[in-house]
Amino acid sequence: MTVNAALLNAIASGELKVVDLTETLCPEYPTISLPPEFGQASPMVINEISRYNESGPMWYWNNFTISEHTGTHFDAPAHWISGKDVENGTVDLVAPERFIAGVNVVDCSKEAAADQDFILSKQFLLDWEAEHGQIEANSWVFMRTDWRKIVSPDNWTNTDAEGQAHHPGPDEECVLWMIEERDVLGFGTECVGTDAGIGFSFDPPLPCHYHMHGAGKYGLQCMTNLDQLPEKGAVIVAPPLKIRDGSGSPLRVLALVP
Ligand code: MN
C-alpha cells in the first residue's frame, strides 16, 4: 500500500481522527487591540453580494474584509521587525512542506486557570520533556490553556479596565531555549497572541514575536480544542493563504490524531 493510501484508509476507518483547531470567523470575533497611537487590525466584515435574489438569482456569495491577524491565524517572520530580512519570510514564500509538522502539546491549563498571567518557563518545558520526551527539531510547541473555558467569550482577549491584556505566554529564556536548543518550527497558542498579555513590559517587548520571527520561525494563535490532542504524536496541517508579501493570514488548522 502506498503511504497516501494508508493515510486515506486511516482517516476513513477513524484510526486517524481529524481535529479542527480553528475558531469560526465572524464579525463578532474579537481582534487584538493595540494602544490607540498605533494602527489597528480590522475585524471580519462580511458584505453579501447575492443570495438567490435579484443580485444573483441562482447563487450565494459574499465579499469580506479582514486583517491578516484576525481569528485563528499564522504569523510569518516578516510580521516582526526582527524577521524583516529573513529569507522567504512572508506567507507566499514559505516552503509548503513547512505547513505540515509534528506537535508537542504542553498542558498549562491548570496554571492558566490559577493565574491568567501565567508565564511559561524553560524549566516548565524541561519538566514536560522529562515526562513526554524531547521536543523534536522542526516541530511545533503548542501551549494548551483551555482558554475558552477560563475567560468570558465576550472578552477572551481578557483586557482589563486599564486596557491591559492578561493571558499566558513564554518568557525570553523559554523562547530562546526553544529556538537555540530545540530548533522548533514555531510556537502556537489558544490566546490572542503568542506572547503573554503583559509581554509588552518585557525586555525585549513581546520576546516570542521578537526572537521566533527573527529566527525565521512561525506563530499560530487563537486556536481552540488543544485539549483534544495528545502531548505527542499528532500532525498539524496549517497552510496560510498565499497572500503576496503577506505578514500572516487567517487559516484552518487541522490536527491528525492517531
Ligand atoms: Mn498575529
Side-chain angles (χ1 to χ4, degrees):
M1 188 159 47
T2 65
V3 220
N4 278 347
L7 174 70
L8 294 175
N9 281 346
I11 292 172
S13 70
E15 190 189 334
L16 208 52
K17 207 169 77 168
V18 182
V19 177
D20 194 345
L21 308 182
T22 319
E23 292 272 270
T24 301
L25 276 177
C26 60
E28 298 77 28
Y29 198 87
T31 52
I32 199 162
S33 68
L34 299 183
E37 64 269 31
F38 300 125
Q40 304 294 333
S42 170
M44 186 177 215
V45 180
I46 302 180
N47 289 304
E48 185 181 291
I49 306 170
S50 72
R51 193 163 191 164
Y52 331 121
N53 52 19
E54 281 176 0
S55 303
M58 292 176 70
W59 49 92
Y60 167 50
W61 52 346
N62 301 310
N63 286 319
F64 66 85
T65 302
I66 198 168
S67 91
E68 292 172 333
H69 297 261
T70 297
T72 303
H73 71 275
F74 183 98
D75 282 1
H79 180 41
W80 222 250
I81 190 164
S82 51
K84 70 182 172 59
D85 297 322
V86 165
E87 199 180 349
N88 300 323
T90 51
V91 282
D92 51 329
L93 299 178
V94 175
E97 57 272 19
R98 309 276 282 164
F99 302 138
I100 302 173
V103 63
N104 303 271
V105 181
V106 180
D107 184 2
C108 305
S109 56
K110 282 191 202 75
E111 291 76 11
D115 176 8
Q116 296 179 355
D117 291 314
F118 169 71
I119 299 301
L120 180 64
S121 67
K122 169 183 161 183
Q123 188 58 51
F124 197 95
L125 292 184
L126 286 170
D127 292 345
W128 183 91
E129 281 194 337
E131 196 174 341
H132 302 290
Q134 187 162 318
I135 293 166
E136 304 88 351
N138 294 311
S139 65
W140 288 104
V141 173
F142 284 180
M143 180 179 62
R144 173 188 156 196
T145 50
D146 299 352
W147 197 236
R148 301 301 172 284
K149 295 175 192 161
I150 294 175
V151 300
S152 155
D154 300 329
N155 181 29
W156 73 261
T157 57
N158 209 31
T159 307
D160 66 21
E162 282 76 49
Q164 173 64 58
H166 298 277
H167 56 81
D171 65 15
E172 183 185 34
E173 184 189 37
C174 179
V175 171
L176 289 174
W177 179 83
M178 285 190 277
I179 295 167
E180 291 165 4
E181 302 298 323
R182 293 296 180 266
D183 194 21
V184 299
L185 183 69
F187 184 78
T189 176
E190 293 168 293
C191 300
V192 72
T194 53
D195 272 287
I198 58 170
F200 238 113
S201 66
F202 294 177
D203 182 23
L206 309 178
C208 194
H209 283 82
Y210 189 83
H211 292 300
M212 282 283 173
H213 299 327
K217 302 189 178 302
Y218 314 122
L220 283 171
Q221 48 256 285
C222 306
M223 290 188 289
T224 191
N225 294 333
L226 297 190
D227 59 342
Q228 296 180 35
L229 304 186
E231 281 84 1
K232 271 186 179 286
V235 167
I236 299 301
V237 182
L241 296 177
K242 199 168 183 175
I243 302 168
R244 185 172 66 192
D245 208 28
S247 74
S249 146
L251 79 174
R252 197 85 180 233
V253 182
L254 303 178
L256 306 180
V257 180

